[in-house]
Amino acid sequence: MINEVRDLEIVSLYVWGAGHKSKGDNRLHSSLQPDSSVTLSLPSGNCNILAFDELGNSYGIAGNYQKNAPDTITVDLEYLTSGRPNADYGHYMLNLTNSLHGFALDTLMLSSKQLIEDIIIDDFRIFPGASTIIWLDKGIYSINVVDQIGRIYSADYITVPSDSCVVSIISTMIINPQPPVGITGNGSGSLFIENCLPMSVITEMQIIAQNVSDGIFLDSIALQPGASIIAKLNPGNYSVTATDEFGAEYNISIEQQDTGTLRLPIVNEYLHYDFSFPKNGLE
């Protein structure tokens, strides 16, 4: 195995058979310098390879198949796990996924009775839909997670290892959730609208029912990131337009049911792109 990561030493290297829960121990007796190599014996069949450099970056090769003849494996930037970074604190995998709408995760804090001190991970950001792999020793853990606007989410009694090895951070895990700033409308159903734009304040909201003239218009509402409001609506189809402090519009079509609460996160995916030119020419 050759280290072709430019200017960085590989400080740890793990090789384990596919299907095994533990990644085993570090195969390196000393750091692997750039352009240097090490000879390893690999398990038969498919195996996984995971390396960490001196900056904590991880490089992964999943499902490598060991041939009969000696083979050369090169660790380089092609195998950098930037989409799903790894953090090395033990032998067993815990997959932590950001299942929030709109908000990235900035800090992870793990505690357990067998730890001398809490594990704090804050050197990368986990965006919505992305995940990170945390390698931990056997035990029961509690996890606190801080998102990019400072809200804290909590998950307790996480067993490592486990059959699923997956923890999804969702909005119901938030500690001391902020109540809605208000209620508008007089319908029989509730539309729970949350500002999931981390960098923008929603200043206007327009909810228009299709095929009828009824609707709701709110201006100067100053709905901060993470804040929410409830609109009481009768059953039907509606068009919702939210406008932020910069004048950007976010358009969504929804169907309000007869009863119950429908959740509507305002996210960047709903941004309406206006490609028209200003009336007075280019500015």
Side-chain angles (χ1 to χ4, degrees):
M1 181 171 296
I2 304 174
N3 175 13
E4 290 194 0
V5 181
R6 185 177 180 182
D7 298 330
L8 291 176
E9 300 176 10
I10 291 178
V11 297
S12 58
L13 177 64
Y14 303 92
V15 181
W16 69 101
H20 291 195
K21 289 185 177 181
S22 173
K23 65 178 173 50
D25 296 324
N26 181 11
R27 295 287 195 95
L28 297 179
H29 298 293
S30 60
S31 298
L32 190 61
Q33 303 295 321
D35 298 322
S36 61
S37 63
V38 62
T39 301
L40 301 171
S41 61
L42 301 182
S44 60
N46 292 330
C47 66
N48 301 312
I49 301 172
L50 180 64
F52 291 88
D53 68 24
E54 58 188 292
L55 299 181
N57 301 312
S58 55
Y59 307 81
I61 304 174
N64 180 77
Y65 183 76
Q66 170 63 14
K67 301 177 182 178
N68 292 328
D71 195 10
T72 299
I73 300 173
T74 300
V75 177
D76 56 24
L77 293 178
E78 176 185 355
Y79 298 112
L80 181 66
T81 60
S82 55
R84 191 169 64 170
N86 286 244
D88 191 11
Y89 293 96
H91 293 84
Y92 301 94
M93 181 181 72
L94 177 68
N95 186 336
L96 188 142
T97 300
N98 180 0
S99 298
L100 301 175
H101 292 289
F103 297 99
L105 304 177
D106 282 348
T107 305
L108 312 178
M109 296 170 288
L110 295 91
S111 59
S112 180
K113 290 182 178 179
Q114 74 261 23
L115 293 175
I116 298 176
E117 58 183 6
D118 291 349
I119 295 172
I120 299 177
I121 304 172
D122 59 2
D123 53 350
F124 51 77
R125 172 169 279 185
I126 308 171
F127 290 96
S131 61
T132 183
I133 300 297
I134 308 171
W135 295 92
L136 300 167
D137 287 326
K138 288 183 179 181
I140 298 176
Y141 292 82
S142 297
I143 302 176
N144 283 341
V145 180
V146 183
D147 71 13
Q148 67 189 106
I149 61 172
R151 297 179 298 183
I152 302 175
Y153 306 77
S154 181
D156 293 324
Y157 303 107
I158 307 301
T159 301
V160 177
S162 66
D163 292 336
S164 64
C165 298
V166 176
V167 174
S168 293
I169 302 302
I170 57 178
S171 58
T172 55
M173 293 178 175
I174 193 169
I175 298 177
N176 298 322
Q178 180 182 355
V181 298
I183 300 176
T184 183
N186 53 11
S188 59
S190 297
L191 179 64
F192 184 93
I193 305 171
E194 182 182 8
N195 179 5
C196 293
L197 306 170
M199 306 300 292
S200 300
V201 177
I202 293 176
T203 56
E204 293 183 1
M205 186 84 64
Q206 189 170 7
I207 306 173
I208 301 176
Q210 297 181 10
N211 303 323
V212 295
S213 59
D214 293 338
I216 295 174
F217 179 73
L218 304 172
D219 61 353
S220 303
I221 56 175
L223 197 65
Q224 301 292 325
S228 60
I229 191 170
I230 294 177
K232 304 289 288 186
L233 303 173
N234 288 318
N237 295 312
Y238 292 84
S239 174
V240 180
T241 300
T243 305
D244 69 16
E245 58 191 310
F246 307 107
E249 294 185 350
Y250 304 81
N251 298 325
I252 317 98
S253 295
I254 60 104
E255 181 180 359
Q256 180 69 47
Q257 300 296 324
D258 188 15
T259 58
T261 300
L262 177 64
R263 301 183 69 91
L264 176 60
I266 306 299
V267 293
N268 284 313
E269 286 81 353
Y270 297 140
L271 177 63
H272 172 70
Y273 292 94
D274 185 359
F275 296 104
S276 62
F277 294 109
K279 294 181 179 179
N280 296 328
L282 293 174
E283 294 181 355

